[in-house]
Amino acid sequence: MSTVMGQAASVSVEIGGKEITFETGKLAKQADGAVVMRSGDTMVLATAVGRAEAREGADFFPLTIDVEERAYAAGKIPGGFFKREGRATERATLTARMIDRPIRPLWPKGFRNEVQVICTVLSADLITPHDILCINGASAALMLSPLPFFGPVGAVRIGRIDGEFVVNPTHEQNFEETSLDLIVVGTKDGLTMIEAGASEVEEQVLLDAFELAHQEIKKLCEAQEDLRRQAGKAKWLDMDLTAEIEGSHGHAIWERIQRDGLREAGAVEHEILAQLAPELSMESGDEDIQRQVQVKASLAMLLEKQRLAAVEGPVREQFEADLRALTDAEDDSKELKSAKRHLLFDRIVDTVELPFPVGPATTEGEGPAVKDALTKSYVKKAAEAIYKDLVRKKIAVEKRRPDGRAADEIRPIECEVTVSPRAHGTGLFQRGQTQVLSLVTLGTAKEGQRIDDLSLETDRRFMHHYNFPPYSVGETGFMRGPKRRDIGHGALAQRAIEAVIPQAEDFPYTIRIVSETLESNGSSSMGSVCGSTLALMDAGVPITAPVSGIAMGLVKEGDDYVILTDIQGAEDHLGDMD
């Protein structure tokens, strides 16, 4: 159902027998996109804001997701001396990570503009969980905004009670009754993220749950598209306009690069902009500003694409054999691999011959002595892109992994217990170059964790904490308490293990596990699952079954693909799935 009143718009959709409503146009109107999500009496405000210009020098997409759980949402006053909210709760951090993972890949290649999404819980009825509303609201806010987000995505939770699936179960059902807690996020075409905890359910049950979830996700995506049709802002990057400009001016950009070089060719962007968009004046209106922004964004994308293409051809022609040889260095030590990479990339940057000017001439008639900084940066980008392409094709097409293993081969495993003489239980787990030491402490029932958030959980008798110190990857860094990644990985392993922890009636102790990552080359979170199982058994905790974890990967090139068992760092970084 859709409703439009003045500038406000509303769309409702029924998911699992409950109504979810998307509303916009009333709150936070200065944000680029703002949506109020409602289900029952739970209410979340999701906002999205981005910068129109790319961050200078950024080599990554600066996307920030924040989830703000407010005590007033449940009619509470925060505890402590200050009586106000402090750092994000663990649940808020985990929800922010669940928003980030499915949204981050859905942007134009090379997009480097700062984007921030904030989800604020305004009302919590403690019946409807707010995390699912946050994920859907974040996607909807981005859809309404002028940001070039290739969404939408929809999210649902699937539970299983008495053998029957329940879509978006209540807090009580999810906390006490369900044998499956599965969060699925996806687009209309496929799934993009899965997060789950379960009491040892069968594989077919999960596959059926995925199918059910995707049917509901399609409804949520259609609702967001309906809301965008009613109240969406014009996108900064119009792909149709980009294609049109590429057809009419793409050759001119290419010729300018070949004549003047990468740096000096930047002037063509301003020349074409002056032709295609009217110069702004005091009489300019919103349409003129919108045209300026869209043309500028399209030209920036085309110039980036043409610059990279102009460099990539010569680099591939002159150094493809060397880059291919570098793909065989993944099994070397970290120091040797790093040294080989730096030596080759520096040689490529310094010696590649390009068919256009690479810097200012030293004297009349002479070429430049060295390449300018911009040209060097594009040569390095091109070399990295070619290297990534070679590694992916080596895995997907040639069926050869960087370290020579078969697709289903696991790295050598070593296990040891009773490493620390005073801890109640310890497990040292090593898989390849990943090493995790897990240590168990047993305490009285009174030593459990008190939970104060917007859920029904009040105390916790089993905790798993994960640490990732910088020395584990041979680096230096600040030690300032757990980062978001540490919190997320700790919770991931906790969910994997808690199903086998004995009930309080059978084992009336508080259990805390700390997993210290001592070495890392892929899958340290799953290494902490294995180390924790060893430590629990070493401490004499009567778990119902041992639990192990492994990271699976996927690399797809055209119609060729391969599923990888026990991925390591390079396969995680260059692959399509973790």
Side-chain angles (χ1 to χ4, degrees), residues 142-162:
L142 290 168
M143 288 295 292
L144 291 175
S145 77
L147 298 165
F149 173 58
F150 296 155
V153 298
V156 294
R157 172 181 269 110
I158 304 294
R160 190 167 184 250
I161 301 173
D162 298 329

Side-chain angles (χ1 to χ4, degrees), residues 216-264:
E216 302 295 319
I217 284 169
K218 290 176 183 176
K219 297 181 193 175
L220 288 160
C221 290
E222 288 167 1
Q224 294 177 51
E225 289 171 343
D226 187 8
L227 189 68
R228 169 155 181 79
R229 282 191 289 270
Q230 296 178 37
K233 298 176 182 177
K235 293 291 184 182
W236 290 338
L237 183 62
D238 185 323
M239 299 310 292
D240 293 332
L241 176 63
T242 303
E244 180 185 322
I245 294 175
E246 185 172 20
S248 59
H249 293 83
H251 188 63
I253 296 172
W254 180 262
E255 285 188 333
R256 183 66 70 88
I257 290 172
Q258 298 301 312
R259 190 188 77 190
D260 298 340
L262 300 186
R263 189 178 68 174
E264 299 303 323

Side-chain angles (χ1 to χ4, degrees), residues 39-154:
S39 182
D41 282 343
T42 296
M43 177 179 172
V44 172
L45 170 65
T47 60
V49 177
R51 289 187 177 274
E53 306 84 23
R55 182 196 282 186
E56 191 71 29
D59 59 355
F60 64 98
F61 174 30
L63 170 67
T64 304
I65 309 289
D66 292 298
V67 173
E68 300 292 320
E69 291 186 345
R70 303 300 195 207
Y72 58 68
K76 299 178 181 179
I77 294 176
F81 291 103
F82 298 105
K83 296 298 179 184
R84 70 174 298 165
E85 293 83 2
R87 63 177 293 176
T89 66
E90 179 181 295
R91 202 175 301 273
T93 299
L94 297 177
T95 303
R97 285 172 59 83
M98 285 196 294
I99 297 170
D100 187 297
R101 288 200 298 272
I103 283 175
R104 186 171 289 274
L106 301 178
W107 297 81
K109 186 177 180 181
F111 189 69
R112 297 291 182 264
N113 301 35
E114 287 187 34
V115 176
Q116 184 177 34
V117 176
I118 301 175
C119 296
T120 307
V121 184
L122 301 179
S123 176
D125 60 9
L126 302 185
I127 298 173
T128 303
H130 60 265
D131 52 2
I132 296 299
L133 296 184
C134 287
I135 302 171
N136 287 300
S139 172
L142 290 168
M143 288 295 292
L144 291 175
S145 77
L147 298 165
F149 173 58
F150 296 155
V153 298

